[in-house]
Amino acid sequence: MKTKKQEFKEKVTIENLLPDPSTPGRFVGHDAGAQDGIGHLSPNSWVFHDQVASKVIEGDYLGIMPFSGEFVTTMNCSNRCSIPCSYEVAKKIEGLWEKNQFSNPIAQMQSLGFAEMLVDRLVEAGVKGLTLTGGGEPFLFTGLEELAHYVTSNGIDLVVYTNGNSVSKSRINRLLEAEPMLVRVSLNAGTKDVYNAFHSPLNPEHALDNSLDTIETLARGSILNPKISVGVGVVINKVNEGDLVEVAYRLRDITEKTGGGIGFVTYRPAFNYFGSEQLKCDILDRTHEIVETEVREALRGTGIKVSNVTSRYLALKQDTRYYNACRASGLFYEVAPSGNLHLCCDRNCHRDYIIGNLSRQSLAEIWQSQQRIDMIHETDSDYCKTCPPACKPHLVNNQFAQIEALRDAGELYKVEVWIESQRAMPKPKMVNF
């Protein structure tokens, strides 16, 4: 007699169905574009990681070890953004907001060797993806490009985020030699006045031009090495809502000079990570429409894909947390300049969420510690209300809640087939993020 799982697999095969990557246990026809959902920061990347998938099937979410995360070399920055900056609260607590402090180990990794030692700890733990980001501007850490080489030479996939306004062309080219999978520049504005109002850069005269020059250098590098993706990020708030199309025009100008090389531009509304005041519905609706119409039209024919992160707009308009526990925080780590590990990649180096120190402990020791477990339970006790409404683990948490509903209904076999079907497909490029 066939099991329910066997019958379900036969149905999927006979009807020639594909797994819907956004919905566990759901399958769709080939014309539904099921594979389109698998990309950078796709919520279902976890299915391709054996340890994670097995723990999910077991229902042991606390046992999940991270496969990807953020590596913050410095809290020092070349801007003082008004988005608000997601790290502003943590930096003010540590006294780092007003002035950069390069000799402070809380603010900046004090040597390339220290950073490499932390990378070694991640390699030992089986981590597959690392994002060099900040806290501040990553390139204010001397030797960032050499650290990038160390990361990729150890077999870890690399992503780099930068504002691009305080880095030389030679350093960018050295970074490109490390072959990161993706480099994203946070641009946020296309005109000088709005750029300066948004970022409050320490070098207001040349900051925008420097960022645009960085994007052009990266674009030329991507043309020479197509394995490297180059993108641009735009975070929307009241300051730049009238400048969104200007960003598109600047990117079009660059591609006209380079002949391409910019793979995407992502538009997403700003979050207040440590407060209840968020953008209102009117600006969310207005800016979403601008991106869907004017921005897309401005970039037509350039080869630049426009990603308008609709899920983030929706999460700000109404709470889309269809879960009562953070089961997905274990997927992602966050390493601070001091080596401190934090509960989640969206706690932005806040001291209240420290769960250990990677320079003194292994990743496994920290991840299995009672300190981490207690902090997760504390976060869950208020239904994740301390977190923004669409953090990095948010969509995965919705998936895990759906899986638990299927488990309760006796239909976990649908999830098993859903996972197995995706793993039978070619592994996505950005599966480690």
Side-chain angles (χ1 to χ4, degrees), residues 271-278 311-328 344 346-347 353 379-380 382-402:
F271 275 176
N272 186 335
Y273 280 78
F274 289 96
S276 58
E277 184 66 26
Q278 305 287 356
S311 62
R312 190 145 170 166
Y313 294 85
L314 294 176
L316 286 170
K317 293 171 70 174
Q318 64 180 47
D319 197 331
T320 56
R321 285 178 280 211
Y322 305 124
Y323 48 89
N324 58 12
C326 186
R327 300 179 178 94
C344 176
D346 271 345
R347 292 295 80 197
Y353 298 91
T379 302
D380 290 346
D382 71 348
Y383 301 101
C384 304
K385 297 303 182 185
T386 59
C387 303
C391 57
K392 187 173 180 180
H394 167 65
L395 293 176
V396 188
N397 270 322
N398 276 337
Q399 285 192 342
F400 287 172
Q402 292 168 338

Coordinates of all heavy atoms in Angstrom, one line a residue, residues 271-278 311-328 344 346-347 353 379-380 382-402:
F271 N 12.9 51.2 7.3 CA 12.4 50.7 8.5 C 13.0 51.5 9.7 O 14.2 51.9 9.6 CB 12.8 49.2 8.7 CG 11.8 48.3 8.1 CD1 12.1 46.9 8.1 CD2 10.7 48.7 7.4 CE1 11.3 46.0 7.5 CE2 9.9 47.8 6.8 CZ 10.2 46.4 6.8
N272 N 12.2 51.7 10.7 CA 12.8 52.1 12.0 C 13.0 50.8 12.8 O 12.0 50.1 13.2 CB 11.8 53.0 12.7 CG 12.4 53.6 14.0 OD1 13.3 53.0 14.6 ND2 11.9 54.7 14.4
Y273 N 14.2 50.4 12.9 CA 14.5 49.1 13.5 C 14.3 49.0 15.0 O 14.2 47.9 15.6 CB 16.0 48.7 13.2 CG 16.1 48.1 11.8 CD1 16.1 49.0 10.7 CD2 16.2 46.8 11.6 CE1 16.3 48.4 9.4 CE2 16.3 46.2 10.3 CZ 16.4 47.1 9.2 OH 16.5 46.6 8.0
F274 N 14.3 50.1 15.7 CA 14.2 50.1 17.1 C 13.1 51.1 17.6 O 13.3 51.8 18.6 CB 15.5 50.4 17.8 CG 16.5 49.3 17.7 CD1 17.5 49.4 16.7 CD2 16.5 48.3 18.5 CE1 18.4 48.3 16.5 CE2 17.4 47.2 18.4 CZ 18.4 47.3 17.4
G275 N 12.0 51.2 16.9 CA 11.0 52.1 17.3 C 9.7 51.8 16.6 O 9.7 51.0 15.6
S276 N 8.6 52.3 17.0 CA 7.3 52.0 16.5 C 6.9 52.9 15.3 O 6.0 52.6 14.5 CB 6.2 52.1 17.6 OG 6.2 53.4 18.1
E277 N 7.5 54.0 15.2 CA 7.2 55.0 14.1 C 7.7 54.6 12.8 O 8.9 54.5 12.6 CB 7.7 56.4 14.5 CG 7.3 57.5 13.5 CD 5.8 57.8 13.5 OE1 5.2 57.5 14.6 OE2 5.3 58.2 12.5
Q278 N 6.8 54.2 11.9 CA 7.2 53.8 10.6 C 6.6 54.7 9.5 O 5.8 55.5 9.8 CB 6.8 52.3 10.3 CG 7.2 51.3 11.4 CD 8.7 51.0 11.3 OE1 9.4 51.5 10.4 NE2 9.2 50.2 12.2
S311 N 6.9 43.1 -0.7 CA 6.6 42.5 0.6 C 7.0 43.5 1.8 O 6.3 43.4 2.8 CB 7.4 41.2 0.8 OG 8.8 41.4 0.7
R312 N 8.0 44.3 1.5 CA 8.4 45.2 2.6 C 7.4 46.4 2.7 O 7.1 46.8 3.8 CB 9.8 45.8 2.3 CG 10.4 46.6 3.4 CD 11.9 46.3 3.4 NE 12.5 47.3 4.3 CZ 13.8 47.1 4.8 NH1 14.5 46.1 4.4 NH2 14.3 48.0 5.6
Y313 N 6.8 46.8 1.6 CA 5.8 47.9 1.7 C 4.6 47.3 2.4 O 4.0 48.0 3.3 CB 5.3 48.3 0.3 CG 6.3 49.0 -0.6 CD1 7.3 48.3 -1.4 CD2 6.3 50.4 -0.7 CE1 8.1 48.9 -2.2 CE2 7.2 51.0 -1.5 CZ 8.1 50.3 -2.3 OH 9.0 51.0 -3.1
L314 N 4.2 46.1 2.1 CA 3.0 45.5 2.7 C 3.2 45.3 4.2 O 2.3 45.5 5.0 CB 2.7 44.1 2.1 CG 2.3 44.2 0.6 CD1 2.1 42.8 0.1 CD2 1.0 45.0 0.5
A315 N 4.4 44.9 4.6 CA 4.7 44.7 6.0 C 4.6 46.0 6.8 O 4.3 45.9 8.0 CB 6.1 44.1 6.2
L316 N 4.9 47.1 6.2 CA 4.7 48.4 6.9 C 3.3 48.9 7.0 O 2.9 49.6 7.9 CB 5.6 49.4 6.2 CG 7.1 49.3 6.5 CD1 7.9 50.2 5.6 CD2 7.5 49.6 7.9
K317 N 2.5 48.4 6.0 CA 1.1 48.9 6.0 C 0.2 48.0 6.9 O -0.7 48.5 7.5 CB 0.6 48.8 4.5 CG 1.2 49.7 3.6 CD 0.9 49.5 2.1 CE -0.6 49.8 1.9 NZ -0.9 49.7 0.4
Q318 N 0.6 46.8 7.0 CA -0.1 45.9 8.0 C 0.9 44.8 8.4 O 1.7 44.4 7.7 CB -1.4 45.3 7.4 CG -1.1 44.3 6.2 CD -2.3 43.7 5.6 OE1 -3.3 44.5 5.4 NE2 -2.3 42.4 5.4
D319 N 0.7 44.4 9.7 CA 1.7 43.4 10.2 C 1.4 42.1 9.5 O 0.4 41.5 9.6 CB 1.5 43.2 11.7 CG 2.6 42.6 12.4 OD1 3.3 41.8 11.7 OD2 2.9 42.8 13.5
T320 N 2.5 41.6 8.7 CA 2.3 40.4 8.0 C 3.1 39.3 8.7 O 3.5 38.3 8.0 CB 2.9 40.5 6.6 OG1 4.2 41.0 6.6 CG2 2.0 41.5 5.8
R321 N 3.3 39.4 10.0 CA 3.9 38.3 10.8 C 2.9 37.3 11.1 O 2.2 37.4 12.1 CB 4.6 38.9 12.0 CG 5.9 39.6 11.7 CD 6.5 40.2 13.0 NE 5.8 41.5 13.3 CZ 6.4 42.5 14.0 NH1 7.6 42.4 14.3 NH2 5.7 43.6 14.3
Y322 N 2.8 36.2 10.3 CA 1.8 35.2 10.5 C 2.5 34.0 11.4 O 2.3 32.9 11.1 CB 1.3 34.7 9.2 CG 0.7 35.7 8.3 CD1 1.2 36.0 7.0 CD2 -0.2 36.6 8.8 CE1 0.7 37.0 6.2 CE2 -0.8 37.6 8.0 CZ -0.3 37.8 6.7 OH -0.8 38.8 6.0
Y323 N 3.2 34.4 12.4 CA 3.9 33.5 13.2 C 4.0 34.1 14.6 O 3.9 35.3 14.8 CB 5.3 33.2 12.7 CG 6.1 34.4 12.3 CD1 6.9 35.1 13.3 CD2 6.1 34.9 11.0 CE1 7.6 36.2 12.9 CE2 6.8 36.1 10.7 CZ 7.6 36.7 11.6 OH 8.3 37.8 11.3
N324 N 4.2 33.3 15.6 CA 4.3 33.7 17.0 C 5.6 33.4 17.6 O 5.7 33.5 18.9 CB 3.1 33.2 17.8 CG 3.1 31.6 17.8 OD1 4.0 31.0 17.4 ND2 2.0 31.1 18.3
A325 N 6.5 33.0 16.8 CA 7.9 32.6 17.3 C 8.9 32.8 16.2 O 8.6 32.6 15.0 CB 7.9 31.2 17.8
C326 N 10.1 33.3 16.6 CA 11.1 33.4 15.6 C 11.9 32.1 15.5 O 12.9 31.9 16.2 CB 12.1 34.6 16.0 SG 13.3 35.0 14.7
R327 N 11.5 31.3 14.6 CA 12.1 30.0 14.3 C 13.3 30.2 13.4 O 14.1 29.2 13.3 CB 11.1 29.0 13.7 CG 9.9 28.8 14.6 CD 9.0 27.8 14.0 NE 7.8 27.5 14.8 CZ 6.7 28.1 14.8 NH1 6.5 29.1 13.9 NH2 5.7 27.7 15.6
A328 N 13.5 31.3 12.7 CA 14.4 31.4 11.6 C 15.7 32.2 12.0 O 16.6 32.3 11.2 CB 13.8 32.1 10.4
C344 N 20.7 38.0 16.2 CA 20.1 38.1 14.8 C 20.8 39.1 14.0 O 21.4 40.0 14.5 CB 18.6 38.4 14.9 SG 17.8 38.6 13.3
D346 N 19.6 41.2 12.2 CA 18.9 42.5 12.2 C 18.8 43.2 13.6 O 18.0 44.0 13.8 CB 17.5 42.3 11.7 CG 17.4 42.5 10.2 OD1 18.4 43.0 9.6 OD2 16.4 42.1 9.6
R347 N 19.7 42.8 14.5 CA 19.9 43.5 15.8 C 21.0 44.5 15.7 O 21.2 45.3 16.6 CB 20.1 42.5 16.9 CG 18.9 41.6 17.2 CD 17.7 42.4 17.7 NE 16.9 43.0 16.7 CZ 16.1 44.0 16.9 NH1 15.9 44.4 18.1 NH2 15.4 44.5 15.9
Y353 N 21.8 42.4 22.7 CA 21.5 41.1 22.0 C 22.8 40.3 21.7 O 22.8 39.4 20.9 CB 20.8 41.4 20.6 CG 19.5 42.0 20.9 CD1 19.4 43.4 20.9 CD2 18.3 41.3 21.1 CE1 18.1 44.0 21.1 CE2 17.1 41.9 21.3 CZ 17.0 43.3 21.3 OH 15.8 43.9 21.5
T379 N 12.5 37.0 23.2 CA 12.0 37.6 22.0 C 10.7 37.1 21.6 O 9.7 37.8 21.2 CB 13.0 37.4 20.8 OG1 14.3 38.0 21.2 CG2 12.5 38.2 19.6
D380 N 10.5 35.8 21.7 CA 9.2 35.1 21.3 C 8.1 35.5 22.3 O 6.9 35.5 21.9 CB 9.4 33.6 21.3 CG 10.3 33.1 20.2 OD1 10.5 33.9 19.3 OD2 10.7 31.9 20.2
D382 N 7.1 38.2 23.4 CA 6.2 39.3 23.0 C 5.9 39.2 21.5 O 5.6 40.3 20.9 CB 6.8 40.7 23.4 CG 8.0 41.0 22.5 OD1 8.5 40.1 21.8 OD2 8.5 42.2 22.5
Y383 N 5.9 38.0 21.0 CA 5.5 37.8 19.6 C 6.4 38.6 18.6 O 5.9 39.1 17.6 CB 4.0 38.0 19.4 CG 3.2 37.1 20.2 CD1 2.6 37.7 21.4 CD2 2.9 35.8 19.9 CE1 1.8 36.9 22.2 CE2 2.2 35.0 20.7 CZ 1.6 35.5 21.9 OH 0.8 34.8 22.7
C384 N 7.7 38.7 18.9 CA 8.6 39.4 18.0 C 8.4 40.9 17.8 O 8.8 41.5 16.9 CB 8.7 38.7 16.6 SG 9.0 36.9 16.7
K385 N 7.6 41.5 18.7 CA 7.3 42.9 18.6 C 8.5 43.8 18.8 O 8.4 45.0 18.4 CB 6.2 43.3 19.5 CG 4.9 42.6 19.3 CD 4.3 42.7 17.9 CE 3.0 42.0 17.8 NZ 2.5 42.0 16.4
T386 N 9.6 43.3 19.3 CA 10.8 44.1 19.4 C 11.5 44.3 18.1 O 12.4 45.1 18.0 CB 11.8 43.5 20.4 OG1 12.1 42.2 20.0 CG2 11.2 43.4 21.8
C387 N 11.1 43.5 17.1 CA 11.7 43.5 15.8 C 10.9 44.3 14.8 O 9.7 44.5 14.9 CB 11.9 42.1 15.3 SG 12.9 41.0 16.5
P388 N 11.6 44.8 13.7 CA 10.8 45.4 12.6 C 9.9 44.4 12.0 O 10.1 43.2 12.0 CB 11.9 45.9 11.7 CG 13.1 45.0 12.0 CD 13.0 44.7 13.4
P389 N 8.9 44.9 11.3 CA 7.8 44.0 10.8 C 8.2 43.2 9.6 O 7.5 42.4 9.1 CB 6.7 45.0 10.4 CG 7.4 46.3 10.2 CD 8.5 46.3 11.1
A390 N 9.4 43.4 9.0 CA 9.9 42.5 7.9 C 11.4 42.4 7.9 O 12.1 42.9 7.0 CB 9.4 43.1 6.6
C391 N 11.9 41.9 9.0 CA 13.3 41.7 9.1 C 13.8 40.6 8.2 O 13.0 40.0 7.4 CB 13.7 41.2 10.6 SG 12.8 39.7 11.1
K392 N 15.1 40.3 8.2 CA 15.7 39.4 7.2 C 15.1 38.0 7.4 O 14.7 37.3 6.4 CB 17.2 39.3 7.3 CG 17.9 38.4 6.3 CD 19.4 38.6 6.4 CE 20.1 37.7 5.3 NZ 21.6 37.9 5.4
P393 N 14.9 37.5 8.6 CA 14.2 36.2 8.8 C 12.7 36.1 8.6 O 12.1 35.1 8.7 CB 14.6 35.8 10.2 CG 15.6 36.7 10.7 CD 15.4 38.0 9.9
H394 N 12.1 37.3 8.3 CA 10.6 37.4 8.4 C 9.9 36.4 7.4 O 9.1 35.7 7.8 CB 10.3 38.9 8.0 CG 8.8 39.1 7.7 ND1 7.8 38.9 8.6 CD2 8.2 39.4 6.5 CE1 6.6 39.1 8.0 NE2 6.9 39.4 6.8
L395 N 10.3 36.4 6.2 CA 9.6 35.6 5.2 C 9.9 34.1 5.5 O 9.0 33.3 5.3 CB 10.1 35.9 3.8 CG 9.6 37.3 3.3 CD1 10.2 37.6 1.9 CD2 8.1 37.4 3.2
V396 N 11.1 33.8 6.0 CA 11.4 32.4 6.4 C 10.5 32.0 7.6 O 10.0 30.9 7.6 CB 12.9 32.2 6.7 CG1 13.2 30.7 6.9 CG2 13.8 32.8 5.6
N397 N 10.3 32.9 8.5 CA 9.5 32.6 9.6 C 8.1 32.3 9.2 O 7.4 31.4 9.8 CB 9.5 33.8 10.6 CG 10.6 33.7 11.7 OD1 10.9 32.6 12.2 ND2 11.2 34.8 12.0
N398 N 7.6 33.1 8.2 CA 6.3 32.7 7.7 C 6.2 31.3 7.1 O 5.3 30.6 7.2 CB 5.8 33.8 6.6 CG 5.2 35.0 7.3 OD1 4.7 35.0 8.4 ND2 5.2 36.1 6.6
Q399 N 7.3 31.0 6.3 CA 7.4 29.6 5.8 C 7.4 28.6 6.9 O 6.7 27.6 6.8 CB 8.7 29.5 4.9 CG 8.6 30.1 3.6 CD 9.8 29.7 2.7 OE1 10.8 29.2 3.2 NE2 9.6 29.9 1.4
F400 N 8.2 28.8 7.9 CA 8.3 27.8 9.0 C 6.9 27.7 9.7 O 6.6 26.6 10.2 CB 9.4 28.2 10.0 CG 10.8 28.0 9.4 CD1 11.9 28.4 10.1 CD2 11.0 27.3 8.2 CE1 13.2 28.2 9.6 CE2 12.3 27.1 7.7 CZ 13.4 27.6 8.4
A401 N 6.2 28.8 9.9 CA 4.9 28.7 10.5 C 3.9 27.8 9.6 O 3.1 27.1 10.1 CB 4.3 30.1 10.7
Q402 N 4.1 28.0 8.3 CA 3.3 27.2 7.4 C 3.6 25.7 7.5 O 2.7 24.8 7.4 CB 3.5 27.7 5.9 CG 2.9 29.1 5.6 CD 3.4 29.7 4.3 OE1 4.4 29.3 3.8 NE2 2.6 30.6 3.8

